Amino acid sequence: GESVGLHLPTLSVQEGDNSIINCAYSNSASDYFIWYKQESGKGPQFIIDIRSNMDKRQGQRVTVLLNKTVKHLSLQIAATQPGDSAVYFCAENMFPDMRFGAGTRLTVKP
Amino acid sequence: EAQVTQNPRYLITVTGKKLTVTCSQNMNHEYMSWYRQDPGLGLRQIYYSMNVEVTDKGDVPEGYKVSRKEKRNFPLILESPSPNQTSLYFCASRKTSGFAYEQYFGPGTRLTVT
């Protein structure tokens, strides 16, 4: 089956900077995407989602952008804080399944 | 509080000794699922259940069994564990009505098979 992938396995940013985490997907028919955050020792937590009929969706300090032309998804975190350090997963809905990327580890330097 | 619980959180066992990892959710979700997480591979689905008495294989079902006798519980059974089943396991649940498919994950069970 098709899978969701991530461009970079690790990302290190300075506290206060903006972070951008990327995701490439291969199933052009996918209609829904989710970003999850996984902190050490915990299960993944929902951050934000986006439907395929949208290009952009904003939450609190987070923005997800969807480019269906190149099948690319990104998560932007504004004013990154130490508490944002975690692994971030892009997930693609293939009901009833979900397909998850391997994740990007975000490290925030003080 | 809406949550998915798993037990045990940590388990070390030996090859061939049957074990069960329990999973319970209090959100009345129809859909439940088990994943394993291994370094560099992301979450891979083992089994899922669309509702009571309805289960189906995911991507990596070999060596695992599940049951769904009640809506809230979805135990994962390893009849004869082997070292290649050493992994971090997550149970998840979500509703199946509506469009949003947000899954709620349990805290994880770290299993080591020696």
Side-chain angles (χ1 to χ4, degrees):
Chain A
E2 296 179 336
S3 62
V4 176
L6 290 165
H7 292 308
L8 297 172
T10 61
L11 177 65
S12 184
V13 300
Q14 205 72 37
E15 182 178 356
D17 288 351
N18 296 333
S19 302
I20 299 176
I21 300 171
N22 296 305
C23 174
Y25 65 95
S26 54
N27 185 358
S28 57
S30 295
D31 62 353
Y32 181 72
F33 304 87
I34 300 176
W35 279 101
Y36 284 94
K37 173 186 181 183
Q38 186 177 17
E39 297 176 277
S40 181
K42 297 183 179 180
Q45 292 179 290
F46 174 93
I47 301 174
I48 191 168
D49 58 0
I50 189 167
R51 301 182 189 182
S52 60
N53 62 353
M54 304 168 70
D55 297 324
K56 179 180 180 178
R57 191 165 189 214
Q58 288 184 296
Q60 192 175 27
R61 279 200 311 117
V62 295
T63 301
V64 55
L65 299 177
L66 176 62
N67 185 332
K68 293 180 287 294
T69 301
V70 295
K71 291 183 282 189
H72 183 267
L73 198 68
S74 68
L75 176 70
Q76 300 178 1
I77 304 174
T80 312
Q81 303 168 0
D84 294 327
S85 292
V87 175
Y88 291 82
F89 300 96
C90 171
E92 173 183 17
N93 179 53
M94 297 175 66
F95 194 84
D97 301 337
M98 295 291 293
R99 287 289 183 265
F100 297 86
T104 292
R105 182 174 298 281
L106 175 65
T107 302
V108 182
K109 297 177 289 186
Chain B
E1 179 190 357
Q3 61 180 351
V4 178
T5 57
Q6 294 178 228
N7 282 292
R9 293 290 314 277
Y10 303 91
L11 179 59
I12 300 174
T13 189
V14 297
T15 299
K17 186 176 181 182
K18 180 180 179 179
L19 66 91
T20 299
V21 184
T22 64
C23 172
S24 183
Q25 50 96 3
N26 62 1
M27 296 167 279
N28 202 36
H29 286 164
E30 297 87 5
Y31 184 93
M32 297 187 73
S33 181
W34 275 103
Y35 297 90
R36 60 178 288 172
Q37 186 177 44
D38 301 291
L41 294 179
L43 290 163
R44 293 182 292 167
Q45 191 177 54
I46 302 170
Y47 268 94
Y48 65 93
S49 170
M50 296 293 289
N51 215 322
V52 175
E53 300 293 359
V54 181
T55 63
D56 211 341
K57 297 177 180 179
D59 296 322
V60 288
E62 292 78 21
Y64 305 94
K65 287 175 58 178
V66 293
S67 69
R68 188 89 181 273
K69 293 183 172 56
E70 303 168 284
K71 197 171 187 179
R72 63 183 293 124
N73 295 325
F74 190 45
L76 179 69
I77 303 155
L78 284 71
E79 294 270 3
S80 183
S82 62
N84 65 11
Q85 293 178 297
T86 292
S87 188
L88 181 58
Y89 292 87
F90 289 100
C91 180
S93 74
R94 70 181 188 212
K95 61 181 182 178
T96 54
S97 59
F99 189 89
Y101 303 127
E102 177 189 350
Q103 293 206 80
Y104 294 80
F105 285 85
T109 295
R110 185 166 293 280
L111 172 65
T112 302
V113 183
T114 61

